[in-house]
Every structure is written in C-alpha cells, then in structure tokens.
Amino acid sequence: MRPYLGREFARKRGTLAAGLPLVLLSLVLAAVAGCGTPPPAAPPGELLLAYTLDKNVVHDVLDENPDGSGEDRQANIAAYFSRDELASFLFGAAPCLVRPQLIYSSPIPDLGCPLPPAVTAEAARATGGSGEVLVRGMLVRHDDGRLELMPLYVAGSGAGALLVDTTGQTYSGGLEDFRRHNDLLDRSDQVLVAAEPGVTTGDGRLVVVSGSTAPPVDVVVLLVLLVLLVVVVGAVVVIRRRRPPASEG
C-alpha cells in the first residue's frame, strides 16, 4: 500500500511541477499587461484648451504677459488665433525663424530653435547635408499636471522623412517608432501631437497618445526574473523525469 501511495504522490508532484512554468508565465504576462498602463487619452481639444489657460507651460512660445491671469492669457490668444490657427501654429511643421510676430507686437520665440548641434548632425546625415529641417510642437501633460511644449524635428520629406528629438535620437518609423524608443517621455505622459509628424504638408490630424509604449523598467526586470525562474523550474522537472525510478525493494 505505501509504495503505491508513494508513487502516486510522486506522480502528482511531477504533474504540479510540470504545470508550474505555465502558471508563472501567466503571472508574467499579467504583470506586463497590468503594470504601467497609461491613463485614458484626453480629447485633443481638452489639452489645447488647457494650454490657453496655463501661464506656466514649460518652453511656451506665447508667454509674453506673465502678470495676467489665465483668463487674460486665453483672451489674448483668442484675439489673434482661431482654434485651428493655434493648432497649426503650435503643431504644424515650419522652418526655424519663420514665426509670425502676432502677439503683443513682439517677436514670438521659435520653438526648439536654434537647432541643437545633435539635431543638426543627424539631420545632415539623413538628408545628405542639403535637406531642410522643420520643427513642430508636441504638447505634453505630465502625470503631475504640468504642461510642456516640446519640439520635434523633421528631416527630409515624404516616405523618407526622419524624426529627430532634442537629444539627436532619430526615428524612421513615425510616431509609433518615437513612442516605442524615445527616452524623453514615459507611459504616464499624455502628448498632443500630429498623427503623422513626418508629413509636413497640409494641416494634419492631431491625436492624444501616451508618451511611451515601452514597458517600465521595473516590469522588464520582473519579466526577466520570472522567465529565469520558469527556466530553472522547467530544468528541474526535466532532470527529475529522466531519473531512473527508485526500486521498490
């Protein structure tokens, strides 16, 4: 009786051990899917409205009246721009030093200009040194509520257009490539940006997306550790299965 029970227990233990890697792998996938989930995207109009009311936008180009209220700022902007004109001004692609002097009869600062040396170098490589570099804005709302206007550069045109960020990092696959590989933003950031930043003609559709689609570092570490654990458990199961059965005496 005891030998039978011993064999039955060993068989069940082996079955459980064999299924353990699948259980751990399921936990890994659940962790990756659940961690670092970006917040729901706000409508583009909501972020644009927030921009017109916020006097503390980082790297703003329409901040010439620091003593006024948010409502004063909004009224001043509305006096010079319709909603579509403001969106085109902030998010459309334009050369440096070609910004209209509209607000408060004073020059409007150029977003992202003059070109950082790293951007100039990468753009020269992308265009053979002869292509024009355009700049367009991205409005970022960080998870603490801060708004920041960030430049994104476009070198070349058409299917061969290359996006370049302020650090000189390049992206040949458009907005999704930027979101997957940039080191400037994370998953909690919401970004109002042209849906196709490399397309420099026409008004362009605006979208709100998370700043990054890369998994958080802590999730990557957890994934690696759990995968290693799955491998170790699987190896132990294989070794035990290959052992010759103990004699029953």
Side-chain angles (χ1 to χ4, degrees):
M1 186 69 177
R2 286 185 177 178
Y4 172 78
L5 290 176
R7 288 196 303 273
E8 184 66 14
F9 175 76
R11 183 185 65 79
K12 290 183 177 180
R13 184 177 61 182
T15 301
L16 291 174
L20 185 57
L22 294 177
V23 173
L24 292 175
L25 185 58
S26 298
L27 292 175
V28 170
L29 296 176
V32 172
C35 294
T37 302
E46 178 184 318
L47 284 186
L48 194 59
L49 177 62
Y51 170 81
T52 65
L53 287 167
D54 194 331
K55 297 169 48 186
N56 300 303
V57 179
V58 180
H59 303 137
D60 193 15
V61 294
L62 299 178
D63 61 351
E64 287 85 352
N65 189 18
D67 297 327
S69 66
E71 288 72 17
D72 291 336
R73 168 184 166 87
Q74 186 179 57
N76 284 328
I77 291 175
Y80 292 94
F81 294 99
S82 69
R83 174 176 165 175
D84 289 343
E85 288 170 342
L86 178 62
S88 179
F89 175 79
L90 295 175
F91 309 112
C96 286
L97 305 179
V98 184
R99 294 288 184 177
Q101 298 182 13
L102 296 176
I103 303 295
Y104 317 123
S105 300
S106 63
I108 295 178
D110 286 309
L111 175 65
C113 301
L115 296 178
V119 173
T120 303
E122 290 301 329
R125 272 195 284 271
T127 62
S130 60
E132 184 178 48
V133 179
L134 305 179
V135 60
R136 67 193 321 154
M138 301 185 294
L139 181 62
V140 181
R141 180 159 66 186
H142 298 286
D143 57 0
D144 60 1
R146 289 181 303 115
L147 291 180
E148 180 176 1
L149 196 59
M150 298 180 63
L152 184 64
Y153 302 93
V154 185
S157 60
L162 189 72
L163 303 181
V164 189
D165 68 22
T166 54
T167 69
Q169 186 168 344
T170 60
Y171 312 91
S172 59
L175 180 58
E176 291 309 309
D177 190 14
F178 171 80
R179 295 174 66 208
R180 180 67 181 86
H181 296 105
N182 84 88
D183 296 322
L184 301 174
L185 303 171
D186 59 38
R187 294 169 68 90
S188 62
D189 294 320
Q190 291 196 335
V191 185
L192 176 58
V193 64
E196 299 181 82
V199 177
T200 57
T201 57
D203 294 333
R205 180 173 62 92
L206 298 179
V207 293
V208 177
V209 295
S210 61
S212 175
T213 57
V217 174
D218 54 349
V219 173
V220 174
V221 172
L222 176 63
L223 176 64
V224 172
L225 292 176
L226 288 181
V227 168
L228 288 176
L229 182 58
V230 168
V231 172
V232 170
V233 171
V236 170
V237 170
V238 170
I239 292 173
R240 287 186 173 180
R241 284 184 171 181
R242 290 182 176 178
R243 285 179 180 174
S247 60
E248 299 178 8

